[in-house]
Structure formats: structure tokens, C-alpha cells
Amino acid sequence: MGLLNTNNFAELSKTMKATQIFDNHGRPINYLRLAVTDRCNLRCFYCMPEEGIKYMPKKELLTFEEIERLVTLMAQMGITKIRLTGGEPFVRKDLMQLIRKIVEIEGIKDVHLTTNGILTAPHIPELKSLGIASVNLSLDTLDRERFRQITRRDEFEKTKGTLKALLDHQIPVKINTVVMEGKNIEDILPLVRLTQDQETSVRFIEEMPFNGEGSHYSSLAWTHKKILEHIKEEFPLLQKIQDPENSTSYNYTVPGFKGNVGIIAAFSRTFCGTCNRIRLTAQGVLKTCLYDDGVLNIRNMMRNGLNDSEIKSHLLKAFSNRPKDGFEAERGRKEKSVSESMSTIGG
Ligand code: SAM
Ligand code: SF4
């Protein structure tokens, strides 16, 4: 299916079986990032304030039944890949129960997880047996004290244990590292060195102002270009490798190293042209761009009794009205500037 004619939404959504939806810029939409909670057991500097966080009342979060219904419906519209995120997904009680259901949904080919690793290790054997496609593990430093300063919790050993367990179980693992001036610059090179013997991908992410307080800086010091230059100074033979389709990272490897290195220009927003992803916040609000402030409250639609074809029709309209890129989305926000916590969005 190509671009959709908005007049036919209602008709189309009634008959829609697994198909492929394209947005108004011709980009396929096949990847859903789903925040299962806004709660977290860490307080990362770049994601939320240390104190005074107002979590949503539990009744406002999507129930597992609502999530299952929505994923089923979106799979019928061409979503094949899901990432469960949060907040910290494992803080949500009985998360594994939800994962067991989601891997069974027709049309969902890949289920991925993003986690801080604190509560993850005991579930790794089952994640492996359920065929989880990959895990992104947030790890901003290899130093226990810096970990404590960045996350405001002393849990480094647990995250480290989860990394080891993921590698031991041969679950593909990517390490997510947010690069922060004055916090973890000294960790960039040791993290690159980790890829010498470990088949992992370490992805350095530009810091975005999604921390619940607004921007920490007047301008971003560690852009993707600066991160790359810094790595190249130490590893001049760093080689560009093929980026996977729809990848948000520019990927590299040091010749002879088992793993690779990615750099994500999350603040510079250089990847919007191939963006295939939508987001669902923990309270069921659809975001068609990370930088918009929510375009559709699907939870309310479900709770107000809309049927599947009516919800699909609303989704199609939202997909046909996607901003071209993160800058356009930011300009279109009802609330002025970006300041919400990433824990409500999922990254
Ligand atoms: N709690 C899980 C974790 O930390 O992996 C999942 C949720 S977290 C919001 C998802 C990803 O968003 C993490 O990899 C985190 O590093 C990233 N993130 C959070 N705040 C960010 C920010 N302000 N700028 C860039 N990345 C951010
Ligand atoms: Fe929690 Fe993840 Fe945000 Fe850190 S980045 S505070 S682990 S949700």
C-alpha cells in the first residue's frame, strides 16, 4: 500500500489485515516503542530530577489487556517490531507475563527491550527462551562511583551483572551511553575498548533535554561529530560500517575488535528522513515523533468504548499527519519547550 487517501480511512480501517502503512512523507511505519511504566528505580541525571517526581496514578497507566489489544491492532496495521521500555520496564509488576503474550501476537516478528539492568538478570533465561530479539542496556560509565553520581543510586554491580548474563546467554546486547559534559567523558574510550573482546555494540547518544527540568546547557557540548572526533583521536583506524536499515546510529568498528560502536545524533536529529517508529507513552498517548507532545490519547478512546476499526481510523489519520522531522515536531508542540522526563516517553 502506498500513501493513503484520508477520505477512505474509515473504510480502509474496517478491512485492514496485516499491511504496511506509510506516513505522509512516504516513510513506512513498522516499529512501536512502548513505555510500560513511567516509574523507575534509578534517577539518571539526564532523564529525571533527583526528587519531586510526580508519577502517574496507576489507574492512568495502560493495563496489560489494553496493551495487548493495542499491539494486536497495530500489528494488523504493519507494526512488526516492538520495543518495551519505560521508565524501567522491570519495575512494572509481572512484566514477563506481558512479554509472554506479546511474543505470541500474530505479525509481531521482533520484541526488544530497553532496561537499566537492575532487576533484569533473573529473567534472562526466560527472555532467551521467548526469543527476545535484543536488549539495549543503559550503562553510562564503567566506574561505580560515576555510576552512582549519574544515576543517584549505588547499583552498578547489578547492571554489570546483567551485561555479563546477557552476553553469556548470547542475547544480542547494545549498550546505551548518554554522553554528558562533566559526567562521563572519561568513559568514552574505555567503553570503546570494551568492544575489543565483547560482541556488543556501544552506542553513544547525544544528550537531549528530556530530563523533567528543561535543558541543562545553553548548547550541546558533545555533538555526534565531537564524539566521533574524540574516538578517532585514540582509534585512528576506526572504520565506518554499514548502518542497518532505519538505523538511528552511525556505526563504526575498530579493525580486529569483535563488537562495534554507534553514535546517535538524538539532539541533532539527522535520522528523521528514515524514521519508521511511533511511540506509546505509559498512559497510552501516541507520539508520532519523539519531539512532539502527544498527538492522540488512545487509552481514552479505548476506555470510551471505541471499537478497533474506529481506533485504527484515528491512528491512520495521525500517521498521515506526521511532522517531517523532530524540528517541525518541536515547533508544533502545544506546550512550549521540551522538558518532560524521558521516563514517560521511553527513549
Ligand atoms: N529505564 C530503561 C533504561 O534506562 O534503559 C528504559 C527507559 S530509558 C528512558 C530509555 C533510554 O533513554 C535509555 O537508554 C536512556 O539512556 C535514554 N535517555 C533517557 N534520557 C535521555 C536524554 N535526556 N537524552 C538522551 N537519551 C536519554
Ligand atoms: Fe530510569 Fe532509564 Fe530514566 Fe535512568 S534513563 S532514570 S534508568 S528511565
Side-chain angles (χ1 to χ4, degrees):
M1 192 190 301
L3 290 175
L4 292 163
N5 174 350
T6 39
N7 298 326
N8 295 334
F9 282 148
E11 267 320 294
L12 239 169
S13 55
K14 268 185 228 158
T15 54
M16 198 179 291
K17 289 270 180 289
T19 183
Q20 183 55 69
I21 305 297
F22 290 82
D23 73 8
N24 45 322
H25 302 283
R27 297 170 294 196
I29 296 179
N30 51 26
Y31 176 14
L32 169 66
R33 298 173 66 102
L34 180 68
V36 295
T37 179
D38 61 338
R39 290 164 168 72
C40 192
N41 44 7
L42 296 183
R43 294 285 179 278
C44 300
F45 165 80
Y46 48 77
C47 181
M48 52 169 86
E50 186 164 12
E51 285 170 2
I53 304 152
K54 289 197 190 80
Y55 287 137
M56 265 169 282
K58 284 200 177 145
K59 64 177 187 326
E60 289 194 20
L61 303 182
L62 290 175
T63 64
F64 282 179
E65 290 70 27
E66 286 169 336
I67 292 176
E68 229 186 298
R69 178 181 170 197
L70 261 176
V71 173
T72 305
L73 198 146
M74 288 189 179
Q76 291 164 2
M77 299 175 74
I79 295 288
T80 57
K81 172 176 174 181
I82 304 263
R83 174 172 305 280
L84 299 179
T85 174
E88 172 50 37
F90 283 98
V91 164
R92 177 100 187 226
K93 195 161 162 272
D94 298 328
L95 177 76
M96 291 306 296
Q97 219 171 298
L98 178 69
I99 298 179
R100 284 178 214 125
K101 297 262 188 191
I102 287 182
V103 296
E104 292 294 325
I105 293 175
E106 200 182 326
I108 299 300
K109 296 191 189 128
D110 300 317
V111 179
H112 303 252
L113 260 173
T114 302
T115 173
N116 62 28
I118 308 296
L119 300 171
T120 316
H123 303 291
I124 289 175
E126 188 178 2
L127 290 173
K128 175 77 181 177
S129 71
L130 290 172
I132 212 84
S134 80
V135 172
N136 286 5
L137 183 69
S138 293
L139 181 64
D140 305 304
T141 172
L142 294 172
D143 177 81
R144 180 175 165 179
E145 178 51 24
R146 279 198 293 280
F147 184 97
R148 194 188 62 72
Q149 283 168 13
I150 294 168
T151 66
R152 293 136 167 172
R153 297 289 185 273
D154 190 10
E155 300 281 20
F156 176 65
E157 294 302 329
K158 290 199 185 120
T159 303
K160 213 172 97 182
T162 289
L163 175 60
K164 182 172 182 312
L166 288 166
L167 292 167
D168 287 350
H169 283 80
Q170 296 180 329
I171 295 180
V173 52
K174 293 178 184 163
I175 294 174
N176 282 352
T177 301
V178 180
V179 178
M180 291 160 285
E181 176 67 28
K183 299 269 180 206
N184 64 345
I185 303 310
E186 54 275 71
D187 285 290
I188 296 177
L189 299 178
L191 280 161
V192 174
R193 273 186 213 106
L194 193 74
T195 67
Q196 181 162 7
D197 299 320
Q198 307 295 346
E199 268 183 64
T200 181
S201 172
V202 176
R203 289 119 47 88
F204 297 102
I205 308 174
E206 285 179 351
E207 185 180 354
M208 296 177 272
F210 291 98
N211 52 42
E213 301 175 307
S215 188
H216 286 139
Y217 323 98
S218 53
S219 66
L220 184 71
W222 286 85
T223 61
H224 63 291
K225 287 190 182 135
K226 185 164 169 182
I227 298 168
L228 180 60
E229 278 162 21
H230 182 70
I231 297 172
K232 275 188 167 165
E233 268 174 35
E234 179 73 10
F235 299 101
L237 298 180
L238 192 76
Q239 266 177 11
K240 181 82 188 71
I241 54 173
Q242 178 79 40
D243 300 325
E245 205 183 351
N246 304 114
S247 172
T248 52
S249 52
Y250 301 110
N251 297 284
Y252 304 86
T253 191
V254 179
F257 281 22
K258 286 188 180 160
N260 54 63
V261 170
I263 302 180
I264 303 184
F267 185 72
S268 307
R269 289 160 254 187
T270 54
F271 44 67
C272 302
T274 57
C275 181
N276 62 338
R277 59 197 64 199
I278 53 172
R279 291 173 168 81
L280 209 51
T281 68
Q283 76 272 42
V285 173
L286 177 76
K287 285 167 72 78
T288 57
C289 173
L290 174 60
Y291 284 84
D292 72 36
D293 53 359
V295 296
L296 206 59
N297 189 326
I298 311 181
R299 182 205 61 197
N300 286 356
M301 288 179 184
M302 287 193 289
R303 292 187 187 175
N304 289 335
L306 267 67
N307 65 31
D308 286 359
S309 85
E310 288 166 327
I311 293 173
K312 283 179 184 172
S313 171
H314 282 285
L315 285 169
L316 286 173
K317 272 187 202 149
F319 298 164
S320 76
N321 200 21
R322 275 182 100 201
K324 177 166 70 63
D325 56 32
F327 297 101
E328 188 177 306
E330 196 172 357
R331 284 194 298 276
R333 288 170 69 91
K334 295 172 274 316
E335 305 244 336
K336 283 289 164 274
S337 57
V338 170
S339 68
E340 62 267 40
S341 164
M342 195 65 103
S343 65
T344 64
I345 306 172

